[in-house]
């Protein structure tokens, strides 16, 4: 059996005339991480849920309000941090675990601060939720650019994972704020309202901030595939608009479902006393609200899957073309291992 040397002279199998990649060198490649596929994300989710439940029980039994911050932190950060562990077990390239943790915490803090500044001058109106969506997705998009600037390789999958990390950090700190506001009332601490808020936001967080930023990241990194730096494309702007609109629809689902419930039941809007929905309409509002969230979530997941499949097919076409160019030389003969054709210029004479 013969194999081709880099010089083009056949050598017997087992002979090598160039440096070989050892098992140690292969393991050291940046694409291989020892923490892949350990399942820590679901183990952390289960353990964190048990700790959260135990903390609630102890708080109720002892009436110790000092434990309320623990409930807020555990409930708000458990699912988003689980998303980060999920990413850590799957990310490749030059991204380190510390970079992901930093993106989660620092990105989350800067995200809510930036969004708060952009939203401070917004006034209630029909376009409020849409403007909020554009503001928050802009902040997360900028943070994603900063986090992913030096990441190699840039692929759609890598961008989706990093986008999910930034979105998870934003969701964690935002959920903590909502939980705090739900707990503080004029009558003291409302534990039931706090727990209801945390459960709702924990369940919905993977298909909200996490999903929107994952879509934006997949397009941003997918367009820059094979390049050391990001590349501008109108598809980036289109994607930003799409995720912002989805974000706005998600936030406005409660208002839209309330309006539709009044229309479907034939109840006049004047029946709402002091902003309270009549009992006969409340059940319809809840049903429409859940359906609305489900529809927006399905659309978002479908968009993300479509983007990832598109760039995967594109990558396979490019790899196939590169492999074909490397294997075949100028005159249709096998190329050397470095991609150089067997001969250049005039083909060899035919044997008569």
């Amino acid at each position: 059996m013969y194999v081709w040397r880099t010089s083009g002279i056949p050598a017997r199998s087992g002979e090598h005339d160039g440096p070989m990649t050892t098992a140690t060198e292969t393991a050291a490649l940046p694409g291989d991480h020892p923490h892949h596929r350990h399942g820590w994300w679901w183990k952390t989710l289960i353990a964190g849920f048990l700790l959260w439940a135990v903390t609630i029980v102890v708080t109720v039994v002892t009436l110790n309000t000092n434990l309320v911050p623990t409930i807020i932190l555990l409930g708000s950060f458990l699912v988003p941090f689980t998303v980060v562990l999920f990413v850590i077990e799957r990310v490749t390239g030059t991204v380190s675990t510390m970079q992901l943790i930093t993106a989660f915490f620092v990105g989350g803090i800067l995200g809510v601060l930036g969004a708060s500044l952009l939203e401070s001058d917004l006034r209630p109106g029909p376009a409020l939720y849409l403007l909020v969506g554009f503001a928050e997705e802009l902040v997360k998009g900028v943070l994603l650019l900063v986090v992913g600037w030096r990441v190699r390789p840039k692929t759609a999958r890598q961008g989706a994972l990093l986008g999910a990390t930034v979105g998870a950090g934003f969701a964690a700190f935002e959920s903590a704020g909502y939980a705090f506001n739900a707990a503080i009332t004029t009558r003291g601490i409302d534990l039931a309202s706090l727990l209801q808020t945390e459960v709702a936001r924990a369940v919905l967080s993977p298909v909200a901030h996490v999903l929107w930023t994952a879509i934006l990241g997949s397009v941003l990194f997918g367009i820059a595939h094979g390049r050391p730096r990001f590349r501008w494309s109108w598809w980036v702007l289109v994607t930003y608009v799409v995720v912002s609109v989805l974000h706005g629809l998600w936030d406005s689902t409660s208002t839209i479902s309330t309006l539709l419930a009044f229309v479907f039941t034939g109840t006049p809007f004047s029946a709402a006393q002091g902003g309270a929905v009549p009992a006969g309409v409340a059940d319809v509002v809840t049903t429409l609200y859940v359906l609305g969230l489900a529809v927006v979530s399905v659309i978002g997941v479908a968009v993300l899957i479509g983007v990832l499949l598109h760039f995967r097919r594109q990558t396979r076409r490019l790899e196939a073309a590169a492999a074909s160019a490397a294997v075949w030389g100028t005159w249709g003969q096998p190329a050397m291992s470095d991609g150089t054709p067997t001969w250049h210029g005039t083909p060899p004479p035919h044997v008569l």
Side-chain angles (χ1 to χ4, degrees):
M1 178 179 178
Y2 290 88
V3 295
W4 286 97
R5 295 181 183 267
T6 55
S7 59
I9 303 174
R12 290 190 177 276
S13 177
E15 296 181 6
H16 304 278
D17 68 339
M20 295 180 60
T21 303
T22 64
T24 304
E25 292 171 336
T26 303
L29 290 175
D32 298 325
H33 291 275
H35 47 243
H36 279 184
R37 301 294 190 272
H38 284 179
W40 281 108
W41 69 271
W42 63 265
K43 298 174 185 177
T44 301
L45 181 63
I46 295 175
F49 174 76
L50 293 176
L51 288 174
W52 181 70
V54 169
T55 306
I56 294 172
V57 172
V58 174
T59 303
V60 172
V61 172
T62 63
L63 299 179
N64 185 0
T65 56
N66 291 333
L67 295 177
V68 172
T70 304
I71 296 176
I72 293 177
L73 290 176
L74 276 175
S76 301
F77 279 78
L78 177 57
V79 174
F81 190 71
T82 299
V83 172
V84 178
L85 294 180
F86 182 87
V87 171
I88 288 175
E89 294 179 1
R90 285 158 179 79
V91 76
T92 58
T94 60
V95 184
S96 66
T97 301
M98 184 55 63
Q99 284 177 308
L100 291 172
I101 299 298
T102 302
F104 175 77
F105 285 103
V106 178
I109 294 173
L110 294 179
V112 294
L113 292 178
S116 180
L117 291 173
L118 290 177
E119 297 169 9
S120 59
D121 293 330
L122 297 180
R123 296 292 180 265
L128 174 62
Y129 293 115
L130 188 62
L131 294 176
V132 168
F134 275 92
E136 294 185 355
E137 294 308 321
L138 175 63
V139 172
K140 290 189 294 180
V142 172
L143 290 172
L144 183 57
L145 282 173
V146 175
V147 171
W149 189 258
R150 295 184 179 276
V151 170
R152 308 287 188 280
K154 286 183 171 61
T155 63
R157 181 175 181 271
Q158 195 91 313
L161 292 173
L162 289 177
T165 301
V166 174
F170 190 100
F173 285 96
E174 186 182 58
S175 295
Y178 277 105
F180 176 80
N181 289 331
I184 304 302
T185 66
T186 56
R187 301 182 304 276
I189 297 177
D190 189 345
L191 186 60
S193 179
L194 163 63
L195 297 179
Q196 182 181 4
T197 301
E198 285 199 323
V199 170
R201 292 192 63 85
V203 171
L204 297 176
S205 60
V207 287
H209 285 295
V210 174
L211 179 58
W212 316 141
T213 320
I215 295 173
L216 183 59
S218 63
V219 174
L220 192 63
F221 278 66
I223 291 175
H225 182 84
R227 297 175 177 82
R229 294 289 184 266
F230 289 112
R231 186 168 68 95
W232 165 253
S233 170
W234 285 106
W235 284 111
V236 175
L237 181 60
V238 171
T239 306
Y240 165 68
V241 172
V242 169
V243 296
S244 299
V245 171
L246 288 174
H247 188 155
L249 287 174
W250 177 276
D251 289 347
S252 61
T253 302
S254 177
T255 302
I256 295 174
S257 61
T258 302
L259 295 175
L260 291 177
F262 275 93
V263 173
F264 291 161
T265 59
T267 305
F269 292 106
S270 58
Q273 300 295 331
V277 178
V281 182
D283 293 337
V284 180
V285 171
T286 302
T287 302
L288 292 176
Y289 177 70
V290 174
L291 288 176
L293 293 181
V295 169
V296 178
S297 300
V298 169
I299 293 174
V301 172
V303 171
L304 178 60
I305 294 176
V307 169
L308 292 176
L309 290 177
H310 166 74
F311 283 111
R312 180 184 297 180
R313 288 192 294 266
Q314 185 181 74
T315 300
R316 287 176 177 174
R317 288 196 299 268
L318 292 175
E319 290 176 348
S324 177
V327 171
W328 294 98
T330 306
W331 296 101
Q333 295 294 326
M336 299 298 103
S337 60
D338 61 353
T340 306
T342 306
W343 58 75
H344 300 277
T346 305
H350 293 285
V351 179
L352 298 178

